[in-house]
Structures are given as C-alpha cells and as structure tokens.
Amino acid sequence: MDFLTATARSSVEIFDIPTVTTVCVKANGWQMSKLEELFDTGFSSLATAVQPAGPAYALFTRQPSDTVDIEIGFPTSTALIAPIPAQKVTLEPGEIPAGKVASLSHIGAFDKLPQAYEELLAQVEQQGMTPKLPFFEVYVTEPSPEMDPADLRTDIFTYVE
C-alpha cells in the first residue's frame, strides 16, 4: 500500500498495485451536484467507525455525468465482514482492485482536478496505453475548513492496458 502515501508524482508514473482492502460507502446514481454532501456524511461516518490504514479515497466505477457511481472510504488492515448501518449511510466492505495504473499528483483545490485528469489521460495515450475504468483518487492531504486549498494533494489514478 506504499503507493497510497508515496512522494508526490509531478509526472505520470505507471506501475502495478495490489488489491487494497477497504471499508466504504457506495452510491450509485448519486447526483454530482450533491457529491460534497456524500463526502461529508460518508467520511464522517467512516472516521468514527474505522481504523484507517491509509488516506481516504474515492473510486469511480463509471464515467461521471450528472450522476456518478462511486465508493468512498479508507484502506483497512481488516476486512469488514458485513455491512454496518451508520448515520445516513451504510458502511460496506470494499476494495481498490489490483492492476496496472497510471498516476499523477494534483496539488491544489479540488475544482482543478478535471485539468489534472486531462493531463493524466493525455500522457497515458502518448505512451500508447488505453485508460479503463475504474479510476480513483487518494486524498493524501486531509482537507479542513481552515486550510488553504492550494495546499491540498490529491493523487489520481486510472487503470491502463
């Protein structure tokens, strides 16, 4: 799981990752306009119930449009056996799948992530590879209301073939 906390990647790196066991909140058909609500509720529920073994993540199982199919959570050292109801969400067993990924670090506000994905995908294609689903983000810097968004670090990953 070292790839979850590695040094920031200023250029695209391609490597294989192992399966990562997680505890997560899954949402299918979630409105993109309400994504912040899911993150706030989901991560606060997870933080009180889970002993994280790494930084928070979001895994997208289809290309977002007005809605998204997503799981958000934390890596854990022990798998969750069964779903657990919590606040307005259900905590479920999950995983970041093993496979070959391309990754790039984004330093800055979340609203600039689309440009980082454009750069990642362009470099993947320049290297003759094809991106595929799912893709995921690792929130290396935990956001807080008083921090400068320019200090956030989000590592973005896409599976490649």
Side-chain angles (χ1 to χ4, degrees):
M1 288 196 323
D2 291 342
F3 74 94
L4 295 173
T5 56
T7 304
R9 299 170 187 92
S10 58
S11 61
V12 172
E13 293 181 22
I14 297 172
F15 51 94
D16 291 309
I17 63 169
T19 300
V20 177
T21 301
T22 69
V23 174
C24 65
V25 172
K26 296 179 181 178
N28 291 324
W30 190 269
Q31 292 290 324
M32 283 294 291
S33 61
K34 295 184 178 182
L35 201 55
E36 187 174 335
E37 177 185 319
L38 176 66
F39 278 51
D40 289 346
T41 302
F43 282 128
S44 64
S45 295
L46 286 157
T48 60
V50 174
Q51 180 73 354
Y57 77 97
L59 184 128
F60 299 81
T61 56
R62 74 169 168 85
Q63 197 62 37
S65 58
D66 291 343
T67 62
V68 65
D69 295 347
I70 188 172
E71 80 177 42
I72 62 170
F74 289 101
T76 58
S77 55
T78 307
L80 189 64
I81 296 172
I84 301 172
Q87 289 182 6
K88 300 176 185 175
V89 298
T90 299
L91 308 182
E92 300 184 46
E95 71 175 26
I96 298 172
K100 181 180 275 193
V101 297
S103 179
L104 181 67
S105 297
H106 166 70
I107 309 298
F110 294 134
D111 64 352
K112 302 294 184 200
L113 278 169
Q115 292 89 337
Y117 274 107
E118 287 176 16
E119 181 180 344
L120 174 66
L121 296 175
Q123 288 189 38
V124 163
E125 290 172 3
Q126 286 172 2
Q127 294 186 36
M129 303 186 107
T130 304
K132 62 180 190 172
L133 292 171
F135 64 92
F136 64 99
E137 302 170 354
V138 174
Y139 308 107
V140 180
T141 307
E142 183 178 342
S144 68
E146 58 278 343
M147 76 180 307
D148 183 348
D151 295 333
L152 291 170
R153 175 178 155 201
T154 305
D155 289 353
I156 58 176
F157 299 80
T158 185
Y159 289 84
V160 295
E161 52 187 11

